[in-house]
Amino acid sequence: MCEKLDKIYDPCKFEDEIYKFWEDNGCFDADFDSKKEAYTIAMPPPNITGNLHMGHALDNTIQDVLIRYNRMCGKEVFWIPGTDHAAMATEARIVAKLRSEGLTKEKIGREKFMERAFAWKKEYGGNIVRQIRKLGASCDWKRERFTMDDGYYRSVRDFFCTLYKEGLIYKGNRIVNWCINCKTSISDIEVDFKESNGELIHLKYYFPDRSAFLTVATTRPETIFGDVALAVNPDDERYAQYIGSKVLIPIVEREIPIISDSYVDKSFGTGVLKVTPAHDFADFEIGERNNLEAISVIDTNGILNEKCGKYNGLDRFEARKKIIDDLTENDLVIKREKINNNVGICSRCETVIEPLISDQWFVKMKDLAKPAIDAVKNGKISFYPERFSKTYMHWMENIKDWCISRQLWWGHQIPVYYCPDCKNMGCFREKISKCEKCNSKNIGFDENSLDTWFSAALWPFAILGWPDKTKQLDRFFPTDVLVTGYDIIFFWVARMIFSSLKLTKEIPFKKVLIHGLVRDSKGRKMSKSLGNGIDPLEVISEYGADSLRLTLVMGLTLGNDTRFLESKLEGNRNFVNKIWNASRFLHMNLGEKKLDDKVESLSIFDSWILSRINEVSKEVRENLERFEFGVALQKIYSLFWDEFCDWYLEFCKIDFKNNSSAVSNSCNFFLRIVKMLHPFIPFVTEKIWSIFKNSPLISSSYIDYDEKLENKSAEYEIKKIISVIHSIRNKRNEMGTPASKLINIFVESEDHGLFERHLDKIKTLSKVEGIKFGKPESKKATCIILDFAKIYVDMEELADIEKLKDQLAKDIETVKSNIKKSESMLQNKEFTQKAPKDVISSVEETLSKSKSKLKDLISNLDKLNL
RNA sequence: GGGAGCAUAGCUCAGCUGGUUAGAGCGCUUGCUUUACACGCAAGAGGUCACAGGUUCGAGUCCUGUUGUUCCCACCA
């Protein structure tokens, strides 16, 4: 207990040990049988390929604050951690590793590939989980889940089959976004758009008789082999006469019709569009509307196929150059125009997307979206900040069908089989070995796997055991809050909502907390390519997890981005150290005495700080309920530093010396603040707690507001003492009095008792030698004017008269302008008629105080001028 | 093209339902080895709250517009 405490707090010395203590003692574990109110958070599962970054740190810190706070409020908290298999990212890693061994996934086969991937997961997937521990996250590791563990597989198959049986999942030969690098289809939201310097090539499409041509502008001449029509706007008078006639594709010389479609923009290019349904989304739709064939000319590797004549086998961009050359040679190019256009790229590897037609699985979204829209509209689910519900709503209302199949191996294989004998196609919830219809054992399985987000969509209920009716599901679902960044709303939040409503008939969470991005000191996004990322683990090893957490949460407003500054980190490290030293100081004064919860008789200082702690605890609770973390933290910060340390402990210090104070009171009050801080800075607070107490802080109760502790008269009295001390210190400074010199003062006051009661405090803290009541005999005295007292300082002490005069003149000006302001307000009849009484009377009070202060100031100045 | 955010002290940001003299941290100035802490203590300086209107007795806060800036969605072939 009485171990020697270092002057400087060293987090590295304690954090791991404390975390181990919590984990070993089951402090994070949820009790499924307790009668307490449940509080649940499903941790957004980080990718197994990932390393902890600032986004994780922020996300998990916010969750941990909520979890620890609610745990201390007596709830049965269940924070379920886990990891995501991250299909594309992981597969890319495995493939790269195979390549380094001279292998390919095809060479080793699906089964071996999966084995390798699981082995990889086992070896590296644990990294991120260890790193999250470093943050201090108090989640229930015993219930850790993985999106590809056995139980999760079942949930995913169940989800798929439920939708499939209802016709909400369908297979279609449709145009999809294809990444030729990742070799898979991806969904719309996995495509980013990048501005690029493209070229708009104006081509001649001759009429069959070669009498004339139409000019078509295109950025992708290599797709002319897939052209099936030219389209013009039906309202475009320039081309109305040509609708229905035919033209020849340049070079290819195939005849295609000219059709009309309102999609075509008259003002773009020449107003004539070449229609290539197999390689452009808009064209695909035009093709469907007009019953046009789709001719695929580029394969899944981005290579032109046999339909492209001599260009067969060329890469799409090489082919583009060649074709432009050839077209130019044949005088089929009218002009080449530089344009800035947006080109779709794969959000993972940034390869230019090739839209192409292939057999894929889709989720029909319209019917699923409706209840998900309603749940937010009618307030069952609310977003914090509220504005993000708009983002959500807009996306949901304009949602398109979701392509869920991926041509990857790492992931959940689509649970569909095909029977070659009876041509049946069916889906299965449990593993199957024969056709349900004809019992044939020749069945084959769908080779595709599911989008990672398809399985992630089930996270909050799958981890509680769905589709089984488990105790956990019953008790901890729907979860309370979901904490995530605004970049994840479409990918995950939206999909969890509609899938939960579909499968469990309940919302997955009640509240969605959206935070922003953690940016670097210049406001740039942290990224690998810029190399400006700050590693949370490095920060932790230098400053400790508590300082990191403070830095992420202090002054944070939900939904807004924050900058990560080294200077903030230092400041917060200092704060942690301050707490440490306060505990050192109190511990030293407590000495061998045992700390007892019982409150000994309260000094006025005790009553005051207790009242203040009580008030702040109420505000902090309110702030936390509203997720105003930054504000809550700032309030505790200021309570602790500006009031508890700077004033309360300074008062106590004097009493400790005289042995006239109850040290254990001070310790107990200090520990109340420590409690308030625990959700934010769990490590140092737990360490300090352990110096004074035996049971762990993490499982103790939060501070309750107690009306009886409110003590306005103590607060008023202390406020007065502080203003006396502060004003004397200020005057000393103004007068240039050396720090070591004690001064004498005279006091005129309506409340002499105040000065008598706190003589020692005033003398010590404002370096006063003697206090006499009444006016000083000497005329050479300057006066401090307070609301309740005048304090005279003998001019003997004065070092710099000019400085003092300047100050006085300044003060007079401010008071004068205040008087003017108050007077004009009170003269305004509308103000006196319409403003509430308390506002008016406070203005009146200010006015009268200012007036008397002005008088005093002027007489002060006059004296100086003598 | 549609939508959203931001604009407050030198810097980074708070400021809830409108209420007299707008806050914090860092930085800056001055002074302190005051036996918890120099990662500290004390005292200061520093802001026409982007601009222009409007509502109101009263606007950093509400409304409209302008400018600058960031982001999201859609996307022109």
Tab-separated table of all heavy atoms in Angstrom, chain A residues 8 265 268 557 574 578 581 584 641 726 730 821 834 842, chain B residues 14 20-21 36-37 39-41 43-44 57 75-77:
chain	number	residue	atom	x	y	z
A	8	ILE	N	7.081	11.103	-11.703
A	8	ILE	CA	6.480	11.146	-13.037
A	8	ILE	C	5.782	9.824	-13.275
A	8	ILE	O	6.373	8.766	-13.057
A	8	ILE	CB	7.563	11.350	-14.118
A	8	ILE	CG1	8.320	12.673	-13.896
A	8	ILE	CG2	6.966	11.254	-15.504
A	8	ILE	CD1	7.692	13.867	-14.517
A	265	ASP	N	-27.883	12.874	-73.884
A	265	ASP	CA	-27.798	14.304	-73.596
A	265	ASP	C	-27.455	15.035	-74.891
A	265	ASP	O	-26.408	14.825	-75.483
A	265	ASP	CB	-26.698	14.505	-72.536
A	265	ASP	CG	-26.528	15.959	-72.164
A	265	ASP	OD1	-27.162	16.823	-72.799
A	265	ASP	OD2	-25.752	16.221	-71.228
A	268	PHE	N	-24.102	17.025	-74.956
A	268	PHE	CA	-22.777	16.449	-74.774
A	268	PHE	C	-22.236	15.918	-76.092
A	268	PHE	O	-22.942	15.269	-76.855
A	268	PHE	CB	-22.807	15.326	-73.741
A	268	PHE	CG	-21.418	14.840	-73.396
A	268	PHE	CD1	-20.704	15.441	-72.369
A	268	PHE	CD2	-20.814	13.845	-74.153
A	268	PHE	CE1	-19.410	15.029	-72.090
A	268	PHE	CE2	-19.521	13.437	-73.875
A	268	PHE	CZ	-18.813	14.031	-72.839
A	557	THR	N	-16.406	16.441	-31.257
A	557	THR	CA	-17.841	16.479	-31.518
A	557	THR	C	-18.149	15.399	-32.514
A	557	THR	O	-17.454	15.255	-33.518
A	557	THR	CB	-18.320	17.827	-32.096
A	557	THR	OG1	-17.212	18.482	-32.695
A	557	THR	CG2	-18.927	18.697	-31.034
A	574	ASN	N	0.366	15.411	-19.623
A	574	ASN	CA	0.551	16.242	-18.438
A	574	ASN	C	-0.635	16.137	-17.481
A	574	ASN	O	-0.469	16.134	-16.265
A	574	ASN	CB	0.743	17.706	-18.828
A	574	ASN	CG	2.004	17.916	-19.637
A	574	ASN	OD1	2.808	16.996	-19.790
A	574	ASN	ND2	2.170	19.108	-20.162
A	578	LYS	N	-0.680	14.921	-13.726
A	578	LYS	CA	-1.220	15.779	-12.673
A	578	LYS	C	-2.069	14.951	-11.695
A	578	LYS	O	-1.977	15.101	-10.487
A	578	LYS	CB	-2.049	16.894	-13.311
A	578	LYS	CG	-2.604	17.900	-12.336
A	578	LYS	CD	-1.598	18.965	-12.011
A	578	LYS	CE	-2.172	19.963	-11.012
A	578	LYS	NZ	-1.147	20.903	-10.543
A	581	ASN	N	0.080	12.890	-9.548
A	581	ASN	CA	0.737	13.626	-8.485
A	581	ASN	C	-0.210	14.055	-7.378
A	581	ASN	O	0.179	14.131	-6.220
A	581	ASN	CB	1.475	14.823	-9.059
A	581	ASN	CG	2.875	14.429	-9.468
A	581	ASN	OD1	3.709	14.156	-8.611
A	581	ASN	ND2	3.112	14.329	-10.753
A	584	ARG	N	-0.370	11.137	-5.312
A	584	ARG	CA	0.873	11.024	-4.558
A	584	ARG	C	0.813	11.928	-3.320
A	584	ARG	O	1.164	11.541	-2.216
A	584	ARG	CB	2.033	11.483	-5.448
A	584	ARG	CG	3.198	10.534	-5.505
A	584	ARG	CD	4.036	10.792	-6.735
A	584	ARG	NE	4.528	12.156	-6.809
A	584	ARG	CZ	5.676	12.577	-6.273
A	584	ARG	NH1	6.448	11.739	-5.622
A	584	ARG	NH2	6.053	13.828	-6.394
A	641	TRP	N	-8.532	20.065	-12.323
A	641	TRP	CA	-7.319	20.877	-12.337
A	641	TRP	C	-7.548	22.262	-11.731
A	641	TRP	O	-6.851	22.709	-10.812
A	641	TRP	CB	-6.774	20.993	-13.772
A	641	TRP	CG	-5.331	21.359	-13.859
A	641	TRP	CD1	-4.702	22.322	-13.115
A	641	TRP	CD2	-4.331	20.781	-14.694
A	641	TRP	NE1	-3.373	22.372	-13.463
A	641	TRP	CE2	-3.111	21.446	-14.425
A	641	TRP	CE3	-4.340	19.769	-15.667
A	641	TRP	CZ2	-1.924	21.130	-15.094
A	641	TRP	CZ3	-3.156	19.470	-16.336
A	641	TRP	CH2	-1.959	20.134	-16.040
A	726	HIS	N	-7.201	36.065	-5.347
A	726	HIS	CA	-6.873	36.322	-6.741
A	726	HIS	C	-6.615	37.801	-6.996
A	726	HIS	O	-5.655	38.180	-7.669
A	726	HIS	CB	-8.008	35.815	-7.628
A	726	HIS	CG	-7.694	35.879	-9.070
A	726	HIS	ND1	-8.175	36.856	-9.892
A	726	HIS	CD2	-6.908	35.090	-9.844
A	726	HIS	CE1	-7.712	36.664	-11.115
A	726	HIS	NE2	-6.947	35.603	-11.116
A	730	ASN	N	-3.188	39.582	-8.106
A	730	ASN	CA	-3.204	40.406	-9.309
A	730	ASN	C	-2.611	41.784	-9.052
A	730	ASN	O	-1.788	42.296	-9.803
A	730	ASN	CB	-4.651	40.497	-9.804
A	730	ASN	CG	-4.794	41.441	-10.961
A	730	ASN	OD1	-4.678	42.648	-10.790
A	730	ASN	ND2	-5.040	40.893	-12.141
A	821	LYS	N	-23.743	50.480	-21.536
A	821	LYS	CA	-24.480	49.378	-22.128
A	821	LYS	C	-25.701	49.016	-21.277
A	821	LYS	O	-26.821	48.898	-21.792
A	821	LYS	CB	-23.553	48.171	-22.237
A	821	LYS	CG	-23.951	47.210	-23.302
A	821	LYS	CD	-22.820	46.234	-23.554
A	821	LYS	CE	-23.203	45.236	-24.638
A	821	LYS	NZ	-22.127	44.290	-24.899
A	834	LYS	N	-40.477	43.205	-22.268
A	834	LYS	CA	-40.519	41.858	-22.830
A	834	LYS	C	-39.514	40.867	-22.243
A	834	LYS	O	-39.735	39.659	-22.281
A	834	LYS	CB	-40.335	41.927	-24.346
A	834	LYS	CG	-41.547	42.521	-25.035
A	834	LYS	CD	-41.333	42.598	-26.520
A	834	LYS	CE	-42.529	43.276	-27.191
A	834	LYS	NZ	-42.257	43.640	-28.579
A	842	SER	N	-30.796	41.296	-13.189
A	842	SER	CA	-29.353	41.108	-13.194
A	842	SER	C	-28.660	42.271	-13.902
A	842	SER	O	-27.551	42.663	-13.531
A	842	SER	CB	-28.968	39.760	-13.807
A	842	SER	OG	-29.086	39.799	-15.199
B	14	A	P	-14.995	21.283	-33.047
B	14	A	OP1	-15.556	20.048	-33.596
B	14	A	OP2	-15.376	22.582	-33.632
B	14	A	O5'	-15.283	21.305	-31.495
B	14	A	C5'	-15.916	22.411	-30.928
B	14	A	C4'	-16.043	22.189	-29.457
B	14	A	O4'	-14.988	22.945	-28.800
B	14	A	C3'	-17.345	22.723	-28.886
B	14	A	O3'	-18.354	21.760	-28.914
B	14	A	C2'	-16.926	23.107	-27.463
B	14	A	O2'	-16.832	21.966	-26.634
B	14	A	C1'	-15.531	23.678	-27.725
B	14	A	N9	-15.570	25.098	-28.121
B	14	A	C8	-15.214	25.650	-29.332
B	14	A	N7	-15.343	26.946	-29.385
B	14	A	C5	-15.834	27.278	-28.133
B	14	A	C6	-16.181	28.503	-27.543
B	14	A	N6	-16.090	29.663	-28.175
B	14	A	N1	-16.633	28.483	-26.278
B	14	A	C2	-16.731	27.307	-25.638
B	14	A	N3	-16.431	26.086	-26.077
B	14	A	C4	-15.979	26.149	-27.349
B	20	U	P	-25.527	36.352	-21.346
B	20	U	OP1	-24.969	35.359	-22.266
B	20	U	OP2	-25.056	36.393	-19.940
B	20	U	O5'	-25.357	37.756	-22.046
B	20	U	C5'	-24.374	38.627	-21.589
B	20	U	C4'	-24.892	40.035	-21.651
B	20	U	O4'	-26.007	40.209	-20.742
B	20	U	C3'	-23.820	41.044	-21.242
B	20	U	O3'	-23.912	42.188	-22.053
B	20	U	C2'	-24.157	41.366	-19.800
B	20	U	O2'	-23.850	42.701	-19.485
B	20	U	C1'	-25.697	41.177	-19.762
B	20	U	N1	-26.106	40.656	-18.464
B	20	U	C2	-26.282	41.583	-17.455
B	20	U	O2	-26.093	42.780	-17.608
B	20	U	N3	-26.659	41.049	-16.248
B	20	U	C4	-26.891	39.733	-15.963
B	20	U	O4	-27.238	39.409	-14.848
B	20	U	C5	-26.688	38.830	-17.080
B	20	U	C6	-26.309	39.329	-18.254
B	21	U	P	-22.820	42.428	-23.047
B	21	U	OP1	-22.807	43.886	-23.069
B	21	U	OP2	-23.066	41.650	-24.274
B	21	U	O5'	-21.471	41.918	-22.372
B	21	U	C5'	-20.276	42.050	-23.145
B	21	U	C4'	-19.091	41.536	-22.385
B	21	U	O4'	-18.941	42.263	-21.142
B	21	U	C3'	-19.096	40.050	-22.033
B	21	U	O3'	-17.872	39.465	-22.458
B	21	U	C2'	-19.113	40.039	-20.510
B	21	U	O2'	-18.398	38.973	-19.954
B	21	U	C1'	-18.409	41.353	-20.194
B	21	U	N1	-18.628	41.888	-18.845
B	21	U	C2	-17.523	41.946	-18.010
B	21	U	O2	-16.421	41.567	-18.377
B	21	U	N3	-17.768	42.439	-16.767
B	21	U	C4	-18.970	42.879	-16.284
B	21	U	O4	-19.040	43.304	-15.151
B	21	U	C5	-20.060	42.790	-17.198
B	21	U	C6	-19.860	42.308	-18.425
B	36	A	P	4.394	19.396	-1.199
B	36	A	OP1	3.631	20.623	-1.401
B	36	A	OP2	4.398	18.756	0.123
B	36	A	O5'	3.914	18.300	-2.244
B	36	A	C5'	4.512	17.010	-2.280
B	36	A	C4'	4.169	16.364	-3.605
B	36	A	O4'	2.726	16.284	-3.735
B	36	A	C3'	4.634	17.157	-4.823
B	36	A	O3'	5.964	16.813	-5.148
B	36	A	C2'	3.636	16.683	-5.887
B	36	A	O2'	3.978	15.402	-6.362
B	36	A	C1'	2.351	16.558	-5.070
B	36	A	N9	1.532	17.778	-5.076
B	36	A	C8	1.650	18.870	-4.263
B	36	A	N7	0.761	19.804	-4.485
B	36	A	C5	-0.009	19.288	-5.516
B	36	A	C6	-1.114	19.791	-6.218
B	36	A	N6	-1.675	20.963	-5.956
B	36	A	N1	-1.637	19.018	-7.191
B	36	A	C2	-1.080	17.835	-7.442
B	36	A	N3	-0.031	17.250	-6.849
B	36	A	C4	0.461	18.036	-5.886
B	37	C	P	6.936	17.881	-5.833
B	37	C	OP1	8.301	17.330	-5.795
B	37	C	OP2	6.645	19.210	-5.255
B	37	C	O5'	6.440	17.883	-7.346
B	37	C	C5'	6.619	16.729	-8.172
B	37	C	C4'	5.727	16.841	-9.387
B	37	C	O4'	4.358	17.010	-8.948
B	37	C	C3'	5.978	18.065	-10.253
B	37	C	O3'	7.019	17.794	-11.180
B	37	C	C2'	4.638	18.245	-10.960
B	37	C	O2'	4.512	17.366	-12.064
B	37	C	C1'	3.647	17.800	-9.876
B	37	C	N1	3.035	18.945	-9.178
B	37	C	C2	1.793	19.410	-9.630
B	37	C	O2	1.271	18.843	-10.594
B	37	C	N3	1.210	20.461	-9.010
B	37	C	C4	1.814	21.040	-7.975
B	37	C	N4	1.195	22.072	-7.407
B	37	C	C5	3.078	20.581	-7.493
B	37	C	C6	3.647	19.546	-8.113
B	39	C	P	9.046	19.295	-17.393
B	39	C	OP1	9.649	18.197	-16.696
B	39	C	OP2	9.561	19.697	-18.710
B	39	C	O5'	7.471	19.032	-17.506
B	39	C	C5'	6.618	19.686	-18.500
B	39	C	C4'	5.225	19.195	-18.214
B	39	C	O4'	5.172	17.830	-18.681
B	39	C	C3'	4.955	19.205	-16.716
B	39	C	O3'	4.127	20.242	-16.224
B	39	C	C2'	4.752	17.708	-16.330
B	39	C	O2'	3.567	17.526	-15.601
B	39	C	C1'	4.724	16.971	-17.679
B	39	C	N1	5.576	15.755	-17.701
B	39	C	C2	4.945	14.511	-17.747
B	39	C	O2	3.711	14.463	-17.730
B	39	C	N3	5.697	13.389	-17.808
B	39	C	C4	7.027	13.474	-17.838
B	39	C	N4	7.718	12.360	-17.904
B	39	C	C5	7.675	14.714	-17.799
B	39	C	C6	6.926	15.829	-17.728
B	40	G	P	2.720	20.662	-16.645
B	40	G	OP1	1.895	19.523	-17.071
B	40	G	OP2	2.885	21.825	-17.523
B	40	G	O5'	2.180	21.162	-15.251
B	40	G	C5'	2.289	20.309	-14.106
B	40	G	C4'	2.871	21.039	-12.928
B	40	G	O4'	4.280	21.269	-13.123
B	40	G	C3'	2.355	22.427	-12.658
B	40	G	O3'	1.052	22.398	-12.122
B	40	G	C2'	3.396	22.930	-11.686
B	40	G	O2'	3.249	22.330	-10.428
B	40	G	C1'	4.668	22.396	-12.345
B	40	G	N9	5.290	23.390	-13.206
B	40	G	C8	5.496	23.327	-14.570
B	40	G	N7	6.093	24.388	-15.046
B	40	G	C5	6.285	25.208	-13.933
B	40	G	C6	6.879	26.481	-13.825
B	40	G	O6	7.371	27.174	-14.720
B	40	G	N1	6.870	26.945	-12.515
B	40	G	C2	6.358	26.273	-11.462
B	40	G	N2	6.440	26.875	-10.275
B	40	G	N3	5.800	25.071	-11.530
B	40	G	C4	5.797	24.609	-12.800
B	41	C	P	0.032	23.561	-12.465
B	41	C	OP1	-1.265	23.108	-11.949
B	41	C	OP2	0.166	24.013	-13.852
B	41	C	O5'	0.595	24.716	-11.532
B	41	C	C5'	0.575	24.557	-10.126
B	41	C	C4'	1.141	25.783	-9.482
B	41	C	O4'	2.533	25.923	-9.852
B	41	C	C3'	0.526	27.097	-9.947
B	41	C	O3'	-0.729	27.343	-9.351
B	41	C	C2'	1.602	28.069	-9.492
B	41	C	O2'	1.591	28.242	-8.098
B	41	C	C1'	2.860	27.301	-9.883
B	41	C	N1	3.318	27.647	-11.247
B	41	C	C2	4.045	28.832	-11.407
B	41	C	O2	4.250	29.541	-10.410
B	41	C	N3	4.484	29.192	-12.639
B	41	C	C4	4.229	28.407	-13.681
B	41	C	N4	4.686	28.807	-14.869
B	41	C	C5	3.486	27.187	-13.554
B	41	C	C6	3.054	26.856	-12.330
B	43	A	P	-3.532	33.428	-10.471
B	43	A	OP1	-4.708	33.820	-9.673
B	43	A	OP2	-3.662	32.353	-11.477
B	43	A	O5'	-2.955	34.706	-11.207
B	43	A	C5'	-2.708	35.876	-10.451
B	43	A	C4'	-1.989	36.867	-11.301
B	43	A	O4'	-0.710	36.332	-11.703
B	43	A	C3'	-2.668	37.197	-12.620
B	43	A	O3'	-3.739	38.091	-12.444
B	43	A	C2'	-1.504	37.785	-13.396
B	43	A	O2'	-1.215	39.100	-12.981
B	43	A	C1'	-0.359	36.860	-12.970
B	43	A	N9	-0.208	35.746	-13.920
B	43	A	C8	-0.722	34.470	-13.841
B	43	A	N7	-0.425	33.713	-14.869
B	43	A	C5	0.330	34.550	-15.668
B	43	A	C6	0.962	34.337	-16.924
B	43	A	N6	0.915	33.194	-17.589
B	43	A	N1	1.635	35.385	-17.465
B	43	A	C2	1.683	36.545	-16.800
B	43	A	N3	1.132	36.854	-15.614
B	43	A	C4	0.475	35.797	-15.105
B	44	G	P	-4.838	38.249	-13.561
B	44	G	OP1	-5.730	39.357	-13.185
B	44	G	OP2	-5.394	36.931	-13.916
B	44	G	O5'	-3.875	38.756	-14.710
B	44	G	C5'	-4.318	38.930	-16.017
B	44	G	C4'	-3.172	39.534	-16.779
B	44	G	O4'	-2.012	38.676	-16.649
B	44	G	C3'	-3.445	39.631	-18.259
B	44	G	O3'	-4.070	40.864	-18.515
B	44	G	C2'	-2.048	39.535	-18.853
B	44	G	O2'	-1.371	40.771	-18.773
B	44	G	C1'	-1.381	38.535	-17.904
B	44	G	N9	-1.523	37.131	-18.325
B	44	G	C8	-2.177	36.133	-17.653
B	44	G	N7	-2.115	34.974	-18.253
B	44	G	C5	-1.366	35.232	-19.396
B	44	G	C6	-0.968	34.366	-20.427
B	44	G	O6	-1.184	33.165	-20.554
B	44	G	N1	-0.223	35.026	-21.406
B	44	G	C2	0.098	36.367	-21.374
B	44	G	N2	0.808	36.833	-22.393
B	44	G	N3	-0.267	37.190	-20.398
B	44	G	C4	-0.991	36.564	-19.451
B	57	C	P	-39.601	42.440	-30.434
B	57	C	OP1	-40.743	42.417	-29.476
B	57	C	OP2	-39.708	43.097	-31.757
B	57	C	O5'	-38.331	43.040	-29.677
B	57	C	C5'	-38.188	44.456	-29.542
B	57	C	C4'	-37.080	44.749	-28.560
B	57	C	O4'	-37.482	44.290	-27.240
B	57	C	C3'	-35.780	44.019	-28.825
B	57	C	O3'	-34.995	44.714	-29.764
B	57	C	C2'	-35.130	43.984	-27.450
B	57	C	O2'	-34.534	45.215	-27.113
B	57	C	C1'	-36.353	43.768	-26.550
B	57	C	N1	-36.605	42.339	-26.266
B	57	C	C2	-35.739	41.642	-25.391
B	57	C	O2	-34.780	42.242	-24.910
B	57	C	N3	-35.978	40.352	-25.122
B	57	C	C4	-37.024	39.742	-25.680
B	57	C	N4	-37.211	38.458	-25.385
B	57	C	C5	-37.911	40.405	-26.564
B	57	C	C6	-37.675	41.696	-26.829
B	75	C	P	-24.311	6.665	-61.480
B	75	C	OP1	-25.069	5.624	-62.199
B	75	C	OP2	-23.217	6.275	-60.562
B	75	C	O5'	-23.695	7.676	-62.528
B	75	C	C5'	-24.529	8.247	-63.541
B	75	C	C4'	-23.848	9.449	-64.120
B	75	C	O4'	-23.354	10.287	-63.039
B	75	C	C3'	-22.590	9.153	-64.916
B	75	C	O3'	-22.898	8.750	-66.237
B	75	C	C2'	-21.903	10.519	-64.894
B	75	C	O2'	-22.483	11.420	-65.802
B	75	C	C1'	-22.204	10.981	-63.470
B	75	C	N1	-21.107	10.706	-62.507
B	75	C	C2	-20.019	11.589	-62.487
B	75	C	O2	-20.018	12.544	-63.273
B	75	C	N3	-19.010	11.371	-61.615
B	75	C	C4	-19.052	10.333	-60.780
B	75	C	N4	-18.042	10.169	-59.949
B	75	C	C5	-20.151	9.410	-60.783
B	75	C	C6	-21.142	9.636	-61.655
B	76	C	P	-21.772	7.933	-67.019
B	76	C	OP1	-22.471	6.943	-67.844
B	76	C	OP2	-20.675	7.500	-66.138
B	76	C	O5'	-21.236	9.075	-67.970
B	76	C	C5'	-22.164	9.793	-68.699
B	76	C	C4'	-21.523	10.795	-69.573
B	76	C	O4'	-22.292	12.011	-69.520
B	76	C	C3'	-20.117	11.257	-69.231
B	76	C	O3'	-19.159	10.315	-69.686
B	76	C	C2'	-20.037	12.577	-69.965
B	76	C	O2'	-19.757	12.370	-71.331
B	76	C	C1'	-21.469	13.112	-69.814
B	76	C	N1	-21.605	14.125	-68.751
B	76	C	C2	-21.281	15.452	-69.074
B	76	C	O2	-20.890	15.711	-70.211
B	76	C	N3	-21.403	16.406	-68.136
B	76	C	C4	-21.834	16.082	-66.917
B	76	C	N4	-21.938	17.061	-66.015
B	76	C	C5	-22.164	14.752	-66.561
B	76	C	C6	-22.042	13.808	-67.500
B	77	A	P	-17.616	10.469	-69.710
B	77	A	OP1	-16.897	9.860	-68.605
B	77	A	OP2	-17.517	11.924	-69.907
B	77	A	O5'	-17.162	9.675	-71.009
B	77	A	C5'	-17.798	9.930	-72.245
B	77	A	C4'	-18.684	8.778	-72.526
B	77	A	O4'	-20.015	9.267	-72.452
B	77	A	C3'	-18.437	8.214	-73.892
B	77	A	O3'	-17.674	6.993	-73.705
B	77	A	C2'	-19.808	7.990	-74.472
B	77	A	O2'	-20.115	6.647	-74.455
B	77	A	C1'	-20.745	8.753	-73.540
B	77	A	N9	-21.408	9.864	-74.214
B	77	A	C8	-20.916	10.687	-75.180
B	77	A	N7	-21.765	11.596	-75.591
B	77	A	C5	-22.887	11.348	-74.851
B	77	A	C6	-24.150	11.954	-74.814
B	77	A	N6	-24.478	12.989	-75.578
B	77	A	N1	-25.061	11.469	-73.951
B	77	A	C2	-24.722	10.426	-73.177
B	77	A	N3	-23.564	9.774	-73.114
B	77	A	C4	-22.684	10.281	-73.989
